[in-house]
């Protein structure tokens, strides 16, 4: 029984990471109706920046906030340079750009920071707590995730800028007419998504170790989480991410074993599409003819 | 494309049959003029061309984006390797089997995703591509797949005592398959069903209003597309003489996608350029650095999307059109 509880708690801890990446995906999806396949690679690149800063002697939390800031700027830059000129192109072009981004960012990461697997420091008490039920890092990273999710909620719910971003995503034409700069709202969305991705990368790196393909599997679970919760619902994506974390951990321990963990994400995705395509909390999309 | 041949006829002033004969001579010529390693690379290029043609059917012509065609390539390759190594069956018998099995797998994956449209197919196929190496390593099927080690097979010798090396024979065999598949696909796309496939891409709602069963057509198109890519996978297992889980990572699917965009989306001739591109450009780029092929791939992909969205085939079409004016 103790083992079971431990697995659930560990699942919630990794689920928090999935929830963050799922949230980043949903934020870009809401604004542009595209899924950023490069989200994982961008987060890995950010995590390497954080490691470089920590190794340069900066305190962990200074490096943390600096990395989030740099990632935010890179996200904005990518939207301005790559996505903006192609705003009205076909879906295939957009997916092509994401794939190009995946290729460039992941190989650049390997080129600049080399391919060896590196350990990543954790800022939290490194050891078991509460009688071995949970490690300090699990507790700390879950707390960080919850703070981030809370901040995102407050930002979108209670600030003028958040309201403007929601308006730009919901109805670009009307938003523009009331003076919202829709293009910049999109760039801001990309920046926020890149920042959230960076936090997820930094929080997961001490667990899975840092290497250029670190986020590939995590991106898959985030897809599954976003679909499970409803791909157009940020709150749903967060719940979905946590759920996928728990399902993955329990399934990996008691049903399929660790060697087929990635396949479980695929099974969840196909299962959701078969049973409830809109996800648990998503809206069924009806288009007007 | 149906309109290309008359253009060429007007341009060169030759009969269509002369043109085809010249093309065939050009394709067969490398057997006698090129050293065996280059010939092997050309064989690979032809195999990739078939695989990219398969992807082009669903993504280019039908407008449903697949990022996981490497998975069907892998299934085809493993079917061929297992049939040859574990069951002792002849190499040619693996091709129809690989095509049928990949068609069924494609139907199974496409069925849930294609009812929905949008990006769901891209998401599902991308996940499939990421999961495939892990599935192939799974302990439960190790006695068939050979686990991490993979399966070794042997290239066939030329039949009927033909005076050809196995590399030369493999090139000709692959070429024959490629010509067959390309002609079949060209005819399919010129037919009523081909027009229906393109109508779904261009305006799904209108196509549905005309009485087409969109979900069924899309799923069947996806199955045919998976079939062709699976056939290419089987050919690759025979030509490379080896399959292992790590040669079918998500990078393979991305490579096929890049080849399609560079060659020309929704073009029959485009995949030929795509196949040549994915075989020869990384070799050139690898001389710069290990990571360089990926970075250069990415940049070329983005560059093509910005500057030449029609790919090499689109560029050629525009050049020919300009020459004729």
């Amino acid at each position: 029984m103790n083992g079971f509880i431990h697995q659930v708690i560990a699942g919630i801890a990794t689920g928090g990471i999935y929830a963050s990446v799922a949230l980043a995906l949903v934020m870009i999806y809401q604004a542009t109706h595209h899924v950023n396949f490069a989200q994982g690679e961008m987060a890995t690149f950010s995590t390497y920046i954080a490691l470089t800063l920590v190794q340069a002697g900066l305190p962990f939390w200074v490096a943390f906030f600096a990395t989030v800031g740099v990632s935010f700027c890179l996200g904005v830059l990518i939207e301005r340079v790559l996505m903006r000129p192609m705003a009205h192109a076909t879906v295939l072009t957009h997916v092509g750009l994401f794939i190009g981004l995946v290729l460039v960012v992941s190989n650049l990461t390997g080129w600049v920071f080399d391919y060896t697997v590196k350990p990543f420091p954790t800022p939290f008490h490194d050891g078991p707590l509460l009688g071995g039920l949970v490690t300090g890092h699990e507790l700390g990273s879950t707390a960080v995730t919850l703070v981030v999710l809370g901040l995102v909620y407050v930002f979108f719910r209670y600030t003028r800028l958040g309201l403007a971003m929601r308006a730009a995503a919901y109805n670009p034409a009307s938003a523009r007419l009331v003076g919202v700069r829709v293009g910049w709202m999109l760039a801001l969305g990309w920046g926020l998504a890149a920042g959230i991705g960076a936090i997820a990368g930094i929080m997961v790196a001490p667990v899975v170790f840092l290497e250029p393909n670190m986020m590939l599997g995590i991106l898959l679970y985030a897809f599954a989480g976003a679909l499970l919760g409803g791909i157009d619902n940020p709150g749903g994506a967060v719940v979905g991410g946590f759920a996928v974390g728990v399902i993955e951990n329990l399934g990996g321990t008691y049903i399929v074993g660790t060697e087929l963990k990635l396949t479980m994400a695929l099974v969840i995705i196909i299962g959701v599409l078969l049973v409830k395509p809109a996800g648990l909390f998503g809206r069924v999309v009806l288009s007007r003819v | 494309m149906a309109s290309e041949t008359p253009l060429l006829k007007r341009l060169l002033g030759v009969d269509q049959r002369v043109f085809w004969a010249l093309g065939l001579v050009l394709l067969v010529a490398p057997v006698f003029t090129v050293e065996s390693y280059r010939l092997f690379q050309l064989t690979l290029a032809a195999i990739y061309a078939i695989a990219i043609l398969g992807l082009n059917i669903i993504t280019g012509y039908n407008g449903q984006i697949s990022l996981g065609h490497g998975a069907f390539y892998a299934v085809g390759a493993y079917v061929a390797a297992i049939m040859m190594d574990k069951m002792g069956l002849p190499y040619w018998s693996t091709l129809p089997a690989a095509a049928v099995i990949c068609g069924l797998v494609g139907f199974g994956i496409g069925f849930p995703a294609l009812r929905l449209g949008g990006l769901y197919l891209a998401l599902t196929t991308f996940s499939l591509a990421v999961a495939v190496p892990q599935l192939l390593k799974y302990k439960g099927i190790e006695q068939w797949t050979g686990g991490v080690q993979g399966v070794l097979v042997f290239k066939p010798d030329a039949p009927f005592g033909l005076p050809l090396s196995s590399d030369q024979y493999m090139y000709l065999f692959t070429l024959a398959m490629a010509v067959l598949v390309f002609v079949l696909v060209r005819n399919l796309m010129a037919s009523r069903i081909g027009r229906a496939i393109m109508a779904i891409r261009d305006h799904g709602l209108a196509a549905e209003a005309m009485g087409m069963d969109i979900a069924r057509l899309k799923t069947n198109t996806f199955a045919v597309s998976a079939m062709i890519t699976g056939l290419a996978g089987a050919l690759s297992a025979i030509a490379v003489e080896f399959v292992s889980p790590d040669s079918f990572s998500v990078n393979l699917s991305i490579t096929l996608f890049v080849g399609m965009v560079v060659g020309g989306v929704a073009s029959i001739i485009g995949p030929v350029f795509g196949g040549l591109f994915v075989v020869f450009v990384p070799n050139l780029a690898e001389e710069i650095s290990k990571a360089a092929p990926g970075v250069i791939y990415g940049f070329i992909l983005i560059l093509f999307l910005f500057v030449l969205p029609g790919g090499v085939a689109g560029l050629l079409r525009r050049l020919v059109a300009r020459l004729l004016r």
Side-chain angles (χ1 to χ4, degrees):
Chain A
M1 194 59 207
N2 219 4
F4 180 80
I5 295 172
H6 176 76
Q7 289 301 332
V8 171
I9 291 176
I12 290 174
T14 41
I17 309 294
Y18 304 155
S20 312
V21 180
L23 181 68
L25 287 171
V26 167
M27 280 177 58
I28 291 187
Y29 183 85
Q30 269 197 315
T32 62
H33 284 270
H34 294 309
V35 173
N36 182 5
F37 289 94
Q39 196 78 61
E41 266 67 26
M42 288 162 57
T44 310
F45 189 78
S46 301
T47 313
Y48 273 102
I49 296 178
L51 183 66
T52 311
L53 292 178
V54 169
Q55 282 172 344
L58 286 180
F60 184 90
W61 291 106
V62 175
F64 177 88
F65 286 110
T67 304
V68 173
V70 170
S71 307
F72 179 88
C73 297
L74 286 177
V76 170
L77 195 71
I78 288 173
E79 201 279 339
R80 290 279 103 180
V81 175
L82 270 187
M83 307 315 288
R84 183 98 192 107
M86 287 292 179
H88 301 293
T90 59
V91 184
L92 182 62
T93 309
H94 283 255
V95 173
L97 287 177
F98 290 134
I99 294 299
L101 210 54
V102 168
L103 283 168
V104 172
V105 175
S106 72
N107 288 289
L108 217 54
T109 310
W111 201 347
V112 177
F113 301 104
D114 83 61
Y115 288 91
T116 50
V117 178
K118 291 176 179 149
F120 194 89
T122 172
F124 307 110
H125 169 72
D126 198 15
L129 291 175
L130 302 176
L133 266 184
V134 57
T135 69
H137 181 77
E138 282 171 352
L139 209 58
S141 73
T142 310
V144 168
T145 308
L146 289 176
V147 168
V148 170
L149 299 178
L151 284 177
V152 169
Y153 176 76
V154 169
F155 172 74
F156 279 110
R157 184 74 181 77
Y158 295 108
T159 67
R160 283 185 70 87
L161 194 56
L163 182 65
M165 280 183 70
R166 282 195 292 152
Y170 188 72
N171 192 335
S174 301
R176 190 169 285 122
L177 286 176
V178 295
V180 174
R181 299 184 66 178
V182 172
W184 274 107
M185 292 303 122
L186 287 183
L188 208 57
W190 267 82
L192 283 178
I196 296 173
I199 296 174
I202 293 172
M203 286 300 128
V204 81
V207 183
V208 298
F209 297 107
L210 188 54
E211 46 104 10
N213 288 323
M214 175 182 82
M215 294 298 274
L216 193 59
I218 292 165
L219 185 68
L220 213 58
Y221 292 119
F223 281 158
L227 282 177
L228 184 63
I231 195 152
D232 52 4
N233 185 331
V238 169
V239 176
F242 277 110
V244 167
V246 174
I247 295 173
E248 178 225 345
N249 241 8
L250 292 182
T253 313
Y254 296 108
I255 306 171
V256 294
T258 47
E259 51 180 18
L260 278 184
K261 270 188 166 186
L262 276 178
T263 314
M264 273 175 43
L266 182 66
V267 171
I268 295 174
I269 290 172
I270 292 182
V272 170
L273 293 184
L274 272 177
V275 179
K276 201 166 187 317
L280 294 176
F281 308 100
R283 276 180 307 136
V284 177
V285 182
L286 297 172
S287 54
R288 192 158 142 188
V289 185
Chain B
M1 291 260 109
S3 62
E4 272 171 19
T5 331
L7 276 182
L8 282 162
K9 188 181 170 188
R10 271 162 60 201
L11 186 66
L12 303 169
V14 290
D15 193 327
Q16 194 179 327
R17 275 168 294 182
V18 178
F19 171 71
W20 284 117
L22 269 176
L24 207 60
V25 170
L26 207 67
L27 284 174
V28 174
V31 175
F32 306 105
T33 54
V34 170
E35 47 155 336
S36 77
Y37 180 64
R38 283 265 175 258
L39 201 60
F40 171 69
Q41 284 184 317
L42 285 173
T43 311
L44 274 188
I47 292 170
Y48 275 121
I50 300 175
I52 293 170
L53 182 70
L55 174 62
N56 216 345
I57 293 177
I58 189 72
T59 302
Y61 284 102
N62 199 208
Q64 313 299 318
I65 298 162
S66 166
L67 295 174
H69 259 53
F72 303 117
Y73 194 86
V75 171
Y78 264 87
V79 167
I82 290 170
M83 283 177 73
M84 285 166 73
D85 184 59
K86 311 284 177 197
M87 304 179 185
L89 291 164
Y91 67 97
W92 47 264
S93 69
T94 65
L95 299 181
V100 168
I101 291 175
C102 288
L104 289 176
V105 175
F107 192 88
I109 297 289
F111 181 73
L114 284 164
R115 285 186 306 158
L116 303 162
L119 280 167
Y120 289 104
L121 185 70
L123 270 175
T124 318
T125 49
F126 184 78
S127 314
L128 177 68
V130 174
V132 152
Q134 215 185 36
L135 271 171
L136 291 175
K137 284 178 200 165
Y138 180 55
K139 288 260 185 319
I141 52 171
E142 205 173 44
Q143 51 167 332
W144 294 102
T145 58
V148 187
Q149 261 91 42
V151 184
L152 273 169
V153 295
F154 294 100
K155 228 177 249 189
D157 291 323
F160 318 123
L162 289 173
L164 294 168
S165 73
S166 59
D167 279 327
Q168 287 173 322
Y169 173 66
M170 199 57 217
Y171 175 73
L172 286 175
F173 182 73
T174 308
L175 195 65
M177 283 295 143
V179 169
L180 180 71
V181 171
F182 271 78
V183 169
L184 285 179
V185 171
R186 180 185 167 278
N187 290 348
L188 175 70
M189 285 308 148
S191 73
R192 188 180 66 87
I193 293 174
R195 287 197 301 279
I197 288 172
M198 285 181 264
I200 290 174
R201 171 197 63 192
D202 295 335
H203 204 305
L205 209 56
E208 199 164 17
M210 300 288 284
M212 294 174 197
D213 185 346
I214 294 204
R216 209 180 75 187
L217 252 171
K218 283 198 288 196
T219 311
N220 289 349
T221 310
F222 190 68
V224 169
S225 150
M227 220 174 196
I228 292 174
T229 303
L231 181 79
L235 281 168
S236 86
I238 303 169
V240 179
E241 305 187 278
F242 177 58
V243 293
S244 79
D246 291 319
S247 31
F248 303 109
S249 69
V250 67
N251 289 336
L252 174 64
S253 300
I254 291 180
T255 300
L256 296 179
F257 185 85
V258 175
M260 180 189 70
V261 172
V262 168
V265 175
S267 151
I268 295 288
I269 199 75
V272 176
F273 302 114
L276 290 169
F277 173 85
V278 300
V279 171
F280 290 102
V281 169
N283 278 42
L284 297 176
E286 216 147 54
E287 285 164 19
I288 305 173
S289 146
K290 186 190 163 199
V295 177
I296 291 174
Y297 253 46
F299 272 118
I300 290 180
L301 176 63
I302 292 171
L303 191 74
F304 264 79
L305 289 169
F306 270 85
V307 184
L308 272 180
V312 176
L315 179 69
L316 284 181
R317 204 174 300 145
R318 278 203 334 237
L319 283 179
V320 169
R322 178 157 303 175
L323 284 174
L324 282 176
R325 239 187 340 179

